[in-house]
Amino acid sequence: MLLWGYKEIQGQLVQPQAILVLGGSTRKLEREKFTADFARKHSDLPIWISGGSPPRVTREVFAKAGINTQRLHLDYRANNTVENFTTLVDDLEKSGVKSVYLVTSDYHMRRATVIGEIVLGSRGINFKPVSVPSNNSPEPIAKSIRDGVRSLVWVATGYTGGNEDQDK
C-alpha cells in the first residue's frame, strides 16, 4: 500500500516530458484532433503516436492546428493495444522520457491504464491519463484483464502474443 501511495505521489509530481497517443483512427479523427488541441497547450512536448491514421492525414491534422509537425514521432509497428506500448517504450526510455501524458479515447482508457502501468512502469516511465471524450461505453473489463496478462508476459519474455485481431 505504501509503495502504491509513493508511486501515486511521484506520478503527480513528475511533469510529463512527452505526449503519447494510442492510435485508433476513425473517419472523424477524434484522437488526432483532440491531441493537436492538447499539444497547443503543451508546446514544448514531443508527440509520440502509435498507429492511427496514415502519416499524411495525421501530419495534416496537426499542421492545420498550427503544430510544428517536426514534433511528431509517428510509429506504425503496433498491431494492437499492447504493442502500442511495447513498440515505443524502449524508444521513450532511450530519449530520456520519464513521464508522459497518455492520450486515448475515454472508453479505452481503463485497458490503456492497465497496460501502461505494466509496460511503461517496467521502464520507470510514469503517465498521466488524458481521455478523449466519446459517446461509447467502456470496453469490457475482460479486455483489460487479458491485455494485462499479455503485458506481464511481455515484461517476462518479450513476447506480446498478439496479432491484428487481438483488439477485437
Side-chain angles (χ1 to χ4, degrees):
M1 198 63 157
L2 188 59
L3 179 61
W4 179 80
Y6 169 77
K7 189 169 165 81
E8 187 67 27
I9 291 169
Q10 182 185 27
Q12 296 303 316
L13 297 176
V14 176
Q15 189 63 28
Q17 300 164 283
I19 300 168
L20 172 59
V21 185
L22 303 186
S25 181
T26 65
R27 283 185 219 126
K28 295 183 181 180
L29 306 168
E30 292 97 345
R31 291 183 193 175
E32 290 89 343
K33 290 176 181 177
F34 178 92
T35 303
D37 184 54
F38 185 79
R40 279 199 301 263
K41 299 171 189 146
H42 302 280
S43 59
D44 58 330
L45 300 181
I47 305 157
W48 296 74
I49 302 176
S50 179
S53 301
R56 181 189 57 75
V57 173
T58 299
R59 284 188 180 90
E60 189 175 293
V61 167
F62 282 86
K64 282 183 181 178
I67 303 297
N68 182 344
T69 58
Q70 295 296 318
R71 291 173 59 193
L72 299 176
H73 299 267
L74 305 179
D75 185 276
Y76 294 92
R77 293 174 287 177
N79 294 308
N80 56 63
T81 303
V82 173
E83 290 178 359
N84 284 139
F85 289 91
T86 61
T87 57
L88 282 178
V89 69
D90 290 333
D91 296 338
L92 292 168
E93 184 182 34
K94 286 176 189 167
S95 296
V97 173
K98 295 288 182 196
S99 183
V100 298
Y101 287 110
L102 175 62
V103 178
T104 193
S105 300
D106 54 3
Y107 64 87
H108 188 244
M109 188 57 79
R110 176 176 48 209
R111 181 160 50 123
T113 298
V114 168
I115 299 166
E117 284 290 338
I118 296 166
V119 175
L120 296 176
S122 76
R123 300 299 194 272
I125 299 173
N126 294 307
F127 65 91
K128 291 185 180 183
V130 179
S131 295
V132 179
S134 76
N135 293 320
N136 297 341
S137 299
E139 295 176 325
I141 197 159
K143 282 187 168 190
S144 297
I145 294 167
R146 177 201 67 202
D147 283 356
V149 170
R150 288 180 57 225
S151 298
L152 289 169
V153 168
W154 176 82
V155 169
T157 68
Y159 177 69
T160 64
N163 60 44
E164 291 186 31
D165 297 327
Q166 198 68 48
D167 279 344
K168 296 178 180 147

